Amino acid sequence: MAVKTILQAINEALDQSMEKDDSVVVYGEDVGFEGGVFRTTAGLQKKYGEGRVFDTPIAEAAIVGSAIGMAVNGLKPVVELQFSGFSLPGYNQVVTHAARFRNRSRGKYNLPMVVRMPYGGGVRALEHHSESLETLYAHIPGLKLVIPSTPYDAKGLMMAAINDPDPVIFMEPKRIYRAFKQDIPEEPYEVEIGKARIVKEGKDVTIIAWGALVREVEKAMKQVTDIDAEIIDLRTIAPMDTETIVNSIKKTGRVLIVHEAYKSFGPAAEIISRINEEAFYYLEAAPKRLTGFDVTIPLPKGEHHFIIDPKQIAYELKKLMAEKA
Amino acid sequence: MLFEEFDPLKGEMLQILDKNGNIVNDKLVPKIKKETLMKMYKTMVLGRIADVKAVQFQRQGRMLTYAPNHGQEAAQLGSIAAMDDDDWLVLAFRELNAMLYKGVTLEQSYLYWYGNEMGSKYDENVKVLPINVPIGSQINHAAGIAYASKLKGTKEVTIAYIGDGGTSHGEFHEGMSFAAAYDLPMIVVIQNNQWAISTPRKKAIKSKTLAQKAIGYGIPGIQVDGNDPLAMYLAVEKARERASKGEGPTLIEAVTYRMGPHTTSDNPKLYREDKEVDEWAKKDPLIRFKKYLIDKKYWSNKKDEELQEASKKEVLEAFKKVEKTGLVDLEDIFKYTYEKLTPNLKKQLNAYKEYLNEEGAK
Ligand SMILES: Cc1ncc(C[n+]2csc(CCOP(=O)(O)OP(=O)(O)O)c2C)c(N)n1
Ligand SMILES: [Mg+2]
C-alpha cells in the first residue's frame, strides 16, 4: 500500500498500464515534456520516450481524431484535453466518430481509447476552466463517462478505462486532485466501470453525487447527525448503475441528487426519471436535486453563488426529510 | 510592394529599428505623427508597469491568474497604432497593450483578471470584443465582423490577434479560409512569442515561418520583428491599405518573446533555460523605442522619469479601485443569461434567495 492523492493515483495508473502494455500511448497539449499543466503525466515521457508520450499542437480535433485512428490500428491511446471547457473543439470527433465506430462498422472496429479531462469549479479559475459538462457526454450513445472521487477509484477506474474496449471519457475532479490522500494498493488493479459505490449505508434517505461533490456530501452529513443517509458515489455516469440506485430508494424512499453540472436536462433529471420508472411507489417524497444553476458558471468573484457547499446540502436534506407524502 | 519584398519562404523578416534602437532600413521608416508615436510609447510604459505589477499583485494573493504581456508590447502597439479609430479589435487573451491603446481602461482589464465579468464590459464606443480564451475561435468572429463591414460598405477594418500555438488550431484555419475566400477587410497578427505554455513553437509547428501559412490561403503573409514598433506599424499600415481597397486579408507574424510565465500558474523553469530569456531581454522593445524617440528629440530621460512615476501611480490607483469592487452580486450571475429572466431562472434565483434568507450568506 502507498499513500496517494487522486493526481498521483492517476499518474500511477498510466505508468503501470504503459509498463504492462506497449500499445498504451499518452499525449495531449503540454502532456509530454512538462507532464501536463497539472503534472498528471509527470515522469512518463522520461520513462517511456517521446514516441509513446508526447506534446501535441493545440488542436483538440486532431488529438481526439488521431486517437480514433490509433485505436483502430492497434494502440490504446489515452489523450488529455487540458480542461473540459476546451474539449469542445474535439467534441465533434467524439460524437460523430468515437461514439459510433463500433456501430458504424457493425463491430469490425472498436475503439479502446480514453479521453481524459480535468473538470469542475471551485478553483478560482479563468473562463472555460470550471465547467461541468457531464450532460454533453453522458447523452451520447456509445460513450462511457467515468468520474472518480477517491484515489483508490481514480487508479482502478483509469486502469479499467484503458483496458475497456470502448471509448471512455474520463473526467477528473481537479478541485480535489491534491485535496487528500488515501492508502491504495501499489500493484495494478481495476475498478469495474458501470458500478456505483455505496460510500455509506443508511436507511432514511439516499444521496447521490460524484466527483468533488461526494466529499461535500460527506462533510454535510457531519453537520446533520440525526439523519441516517445512504450515500452513493455514482462513479460511472454512463452507463449508469440503475440497480444500485433503485435498490437504495426502495430502502429509503427519499432521494437527493447533488451535482455541479447545469440543472436543466442534466444528469439528475435522468436519475430521477429512472427512479420514477422503477421505484415510483416506494417514494415517500418528491425526488430532489441540488445542482448548478442554469447560468454560465461565473468567474471567481461570483463563483461562490454557484458552488454547492455542505451547508446547502444539509439545508436541502432537512427540507426533503420534512416532506410528507 | 512590401509583401513581395519580404518573402516568408526565404526567411526574410521586416525590421526597421534594430535592438539597439538604430534605423537599419532607412527608406522603409513609416511616417508616423509625433502624437501617435508618443501615444504608442506612453501606452507601452503603462502596459509594462501594469503587467509587472499584475504579477506582483497575484503573488501577494490580491489578483487571480494573470497572463503576462512582458516583451510583447511592440508587437501589439505597432500594429494597433496603424489602425483607425473606427476599426474593430478582436482579442485572444494576451493583448493588454493593444486593449489600452484602443480605449479599454486599465481598471477594466484588471477587473477581468480579478475575476469579475464586468471587466469585459468596455465603454460603449470601444469596438473591442471581450477576451477570448478558447484558442483560435476568435478568428472566425473577426471574419464575421469583417464580412458585415464589407456588406454594409463601411470603411472599418478588423484586426485580430492569435498566438503561435493558436495557428495549429482548426478554427484558425477555418477562419483564415473564410476571410480569404471573400477578400474580407481583416488583418491577423500572430504574436509568435516562441512558446505555447511549455511547448516550443519549433516543436509543435513544422513550417519554417508562421507567415508562410498565408500562402495556402492565397493571401500575403509577412514575418516582422515583433519587438520593432516601426516595422509592425509599417506592415499593418500596408495590410490596412490592402484591406481598404477590397484586396482581402493579410497575415502578419510578429516575432517576439514571452518574457514571463504563460500565466501566473505556470513555472517556465520546468521547460526553458534562463539563457534564452536573457538573450531576448536584450531585444526589449521599450529600450529601442525610447532611444528612437530620444534620438528624434521627441523625448528625454527626464520626461521618461516623470512618465514612469505617473504611470506607476496610475497603475496603483486603478488596482486600488478594482480591489474595492468586492464580490459579484447574486442577481448579476443570472441576469445576463437572456434578455429577460426566464420563469425557470426566476424560480432558481428565488429558491436560492430563500435559502440565503434562512441560513445566512455563504
Ligand atoms: C481550444 C483551447 N485549447 C486549449 C487551451 C489551453 N491553452 C490556453 S493558452 C494555451 C497556449 C497558447 O499558446 P499560443 O497560441 O502560442 O499563445 P500564448 O499563450 O503564447 O500567447 C493553451 C493550450 C485553450 N485556451 N483553448
Ligand atoms: Mg505563444
Side-chain angles (χ1 to χ4, degrees):
Chain A
M1 302 289 273
V3 176
K4 295 235 146 64
T5 62
I6 287 181
L7 192 116
Q8 291 165 333
I10 294 170
N11 181 273
E12 185 165 271
L14 295 171
D15 187 1
Q16 291 180 352
S17 299
M18 294 194 80
E19 176 130 42
K20 219 169 51 183
D21 184 348
D22 284 345
S23 66
V24 178
V25 293
V26 169
Y27 62 97
E29 292 154 20
D30 306 288
V31 158
F33 189 81
E34 188 188 33
V37 291
F38 288 102
R39 324 267 313 120
T40 323
T41 53
L44 297 179
Q45 186 178 70
K46 228 182 189 152
K47 196 159 168 193
Y48 300 104
E50 288 187 43
R52 291 179 66 198
V53 184
F54 58 96
D55 294 321
T56 65
I58 305 170
E60 290 78 11
I63 293 169
V64 177
S66 65
I68 292 171
M70 289 188 202
V72 162
N73 201 11
L75 298 184
K76 291 182 180 167
V78 184
V79 298
E80 174 179 305
L81 301 179
Q82 213 158 69
F83 289 87
S84 69
F86 303 132
S87 70
L88 299 175
Y91 190 62
N92 179 37
Q93 284 286 351
V94 169
V95 176
T96 61
H97 299 298
R100 293 168 176 238
F101 253 61
R102 181 188 286 280
N103 181 64
R104 183 186 291 153
S105 67
R106 283 296 181 261
K108 178 170 177 349
Y109 295 117
N110 67 294
L111 303 176
M113 60 186 272
V114 182
V115 181
R116 298 178 39 234
M117 54 180 90
Y119 89 106
V123 294
R124 297 157 60 79
L126 298 172
E127 197 185 353
H128 310 293
H129 291 69
S130 303
E131 279 65 16
S132 294
L133 301 177
E134 293 95 301
T135 308
L136 298 192
Y137 291 95
H139 184 64
I140 305 300
L143 297 180
K144 296 182 178 178
L145 173 57
V146 171
I147 303 180
S149 76
T150 64
Y152 180 87
D153 283 351
K155 178 174 172 183
L157 286 168
M158 178 56 83
M159 298 203 82
I162 292 170
N163 287 322
D164 197 283
D166 286 306
V168 177
I169 309 297
F170 200 92
M171 287 192 180
E172 300 171 4
K174 62 178 176 292
R175 177 158 41 136
I176 54 168
Y177 258 157
R178 297 180 169 90
F180 62 101
K181 290 187 174 184
Q182 189 183 13
D183 218 4
I184 66 171
E186 275 167 90
E187 58 277 7
Y189 63 92
E190 288 190 11
V191 169
E192 190 180 346
I193 291 177
K195 283 271 177 290
R197 173 175 70 104
I198 297 177
V199 178
K200 177 194 157 292
E201 294 200 28
K203 57 179 186 357
D204 296 341
V205 58
T206 303
I207 310 176
I208 302 171
W210 52 89
L213 272 301
V214 174
R215 254 166 81 79
E216 301 307 295
V217 169
E218 286 177 292
K219 283 186 216 160
M221 292 320 294
K222 292 207 176 99
Q223 298 174 15
V224 268
T225 44
D226 54 335
I227 301 171
D228 183 19
E230 177 143 305
I231 304 173
I232 296 178
D233 173 1
L234 203 52
R235 297 198 291 198
T236 300
I237 312 304
M240 196 183 287
D241 182 359
T242 314
E243 194 186 335
T244 297
I245 296 171
V246 165
N247 286 342
S248 179
I249 305 305
K250 284 182 178 169
K251 190 166 66 170
T252 64
R254 291 171 197 261
V255 64
L256 172 67
I257 301 143
V258 187
H259 67 60
E260 203 172 282
Y262 303 132
K263 184 170 196 169
S264 291
F265 310 96
E270 176 62 28
I271 296 169
I272 291 172
S273 293
R274 292 187 190 207
I275 292 169
N276 284 340
E277 284 161 359
E278 298 190 28
F280 186 76
Y281 297 107
Y282 294 86
L283 286 173
E284 292 161 30
K288 237 186 194 328
R289 47 185 167 156
L290 176 59
T291 69
F293 302 125
D294 287 329
V295 305
T296 300
I297 183 163
L299 294 183
K301 286 293 183 284
E303 198 186 14
H304 60 290
H305 298 305
F306 189 97
I307 296 298
I308 296 163
D309 66 13
K311 209 168 106 186
Q312 250 175 308
I313 297 169
Y315 172 82
E316 293 298 334
L317 201 60
K318 280 182 206 150
K319 273 185 25 181
L320 174 62
M321 295 315 293
E323 251 186 65
K324 294 231 164 58
Chain B
M1 256 311 279
L2 187 75
F3 300 118
E4 277 137 35
E5 220 174 301
F6 292 87
D7 184 350
L9 286 179
K10 294 198 186 114
E12 291 163 339
M13 182 174 81
L14 170 64
Q15 187 189 55
I16 296 171
L17 202 56
D18 74 7
K19 68 174 201 272
N20 302 316
N22 299 316
I23 300 285
V24 291
N25 209 331
D26 231 342
K27 60 180 198 313
L28 285 182
V29 178
K31 289 192 186 59
I32 311 178
K33 280 191 273 180
K34 178 180 174 185
E35 190 193 327
T36 305
L37 280 171
M38 291 322 303
K39 183 178 171 188
M40 288 163 71
Y41 183 71
K42 285 176 181 171
T43 310
M44 199 181 279
V45 169
L46 180 68
R48 172 66 61 88
I49 295 173
D51 199 79
V52 171
K53 280 284 170 199
V55 175
Q56 281 177 14
F57 295 144
Q58 196 279 341
R59 302 290 184 229
Q60 297 162 355
R62 296 159 70 190
M63 181 78 120
L64 292 162
T65 313
Y66 177 75
N69 287 241
H70 191 157
Q72 300 180 214
E73 295 88 351
Q76 298 168 32
L77 289 165
S79 51
I80 197 69
M83 302 299 286
D84 273 10
D85 285 347
D86 209 31
D87 290 341
W88 283 91
L89 166 58
V90 176
L91 302 168
F93 52 87
R94 204 187 296 284
E95 289 85 25
L96 173 67
N97 296 268
M99 292 167 82
L100 293 175
Y101 193 93
K102 193 77 177 126
V104 174
T105 67
L106 182 56
E107 206 181 315
Q108 286 159 345
S109 279
Y110 271 173
L111 191 58
Y112 171 83
W113 295 105
Y114 195 65
N116 188 326
E117 287 84 351
M118 230 21 125
S120 292
K121 188 177 185 180
Y122 315 138
D123 297 350
E124 191 61 37
N125 57 343
V126 173
K127 291 163 81 172
V128 182
L129 293 200
I131 281 180
N132 188 93
V133 177
I135 304 283
S137 52
Q138 73 276 18
I139 304 302
N140 286 303
H141 310 156
I145 292 176
Y147 192 97
S149 302
K150 189 175 171 175
L151 190 67
K152 293 192 293 183
T154 66
K155 295 253 179 300
E156 305 160 342
V157 176
T158 298
I159 186 165
Y161 291 81
I162 189 165
D164 47 285
T167 67
S168 295
H169 207 274
E171 293 241 17
F172 169 77
H173 183 59
E174 294 189 25
M176 293 307 299
S177 302
F178 189 101
Y182 304 110
D183 295 323
L184 299 182
M186 171 165 150
I187 299 161
V188 174
V189 174
I190 304 165
Q191 292 200 77
N192 172 8
N193 63 8
Q194 314 302 329
W195 290 91
I197 311 186
S198 72
T199 307
R201 171 254 175 275
K202 289 252 161 60
K203 215 168 130 194
I205 302 168
K206 189 78 183 174
S207 68
K208 213 164 127 198
T209 67
L210 303 181
Q212 78 197 55
K213 294 194 179 200
I215 295 165
Y217 305 117
I219 62 170
I222 186 170
Q223 197 178 50
V224 182
D225 177 351
N227 288 5
D228 172 357
L230 303 186
M232 283 304 297
Y233 187 99
L234 179 73
V236 173
E237 185 182 43
K238 296 294 173 201
R240 199 184 176 287
E241 274 170 33
R242 267 179 43 80
S244 297
K245 283 191 276 183
E247 291 170 13
T250 307
L251 185 62
I252 296 171
E253 175 189 357
V255 180
T256 180
Y257 195 76
R258 192 193 82 210
M259 296 297 293
H262 170 69
T263 67
T264 44
S265 326
D266 171 51
N267 176 14
K269 291 217 184 300
L270 290 174
Y271 54 79
R272 74 182 186 189
E273 308 251 342
D274 289 344
K275 210 171 68 199
E276 180 183 297
V277 184
D278 296 342
E279 272 315 300
W280 277 92
K282 294 178 194 152
K283 303 182 196 169
D284 191 324
L286 258 176
I287 297 172
R288 71 177 90 172
F289 199 21
K290 178 177 152 195
K291 176 168 184 297
Y292 173 72
L293 295 173
I294 290 176
D295 286 353
K296 252 179 119 61
K297 306 266 187 288
Y298 284 0
W299 200 239
S300 69
N301 277 318
K302 182 164 174 299
K303 278 187 192 157
D304 205 65
E305 275 164 33
E306 287 163 17
L307 176 66
Q308 299 279 348
E309 274 315 302
S311 303
K312 215 172 280 167
K313 237 175 96 187
E314 192 179 337
V315 165
L316 293 177
E317 268 162 26
F319 191 64
K320 209 190 277 170
K321 281 191 201 153
V322 165
E323 276 195 312
K324 287 205 182 107
T325 55
L327 296 172
V328 168
D329 285 342
L330 174 61
E331 257 86 3
D332 274 18
I333 77 163
F334 279 85
K335 78 178 182 202
Y336 300 100
T337 308
Y338 301 102
E339 187 188 12
K340 290 198 194 93
L341 219 54
T342 60
N344 170 52
L345 285 177
K346 253 183 225 163
K347 213 177 272 177
Q348 290 183 17
L349 177 59
N350 287 337
Y352 185 64
K353 278 185 183 162
E354 200 182 302
Y355 161 72
L356 293 178
N357 261 342
E358 285 176 34
E359 300 285 314
K362 246 186 193 173

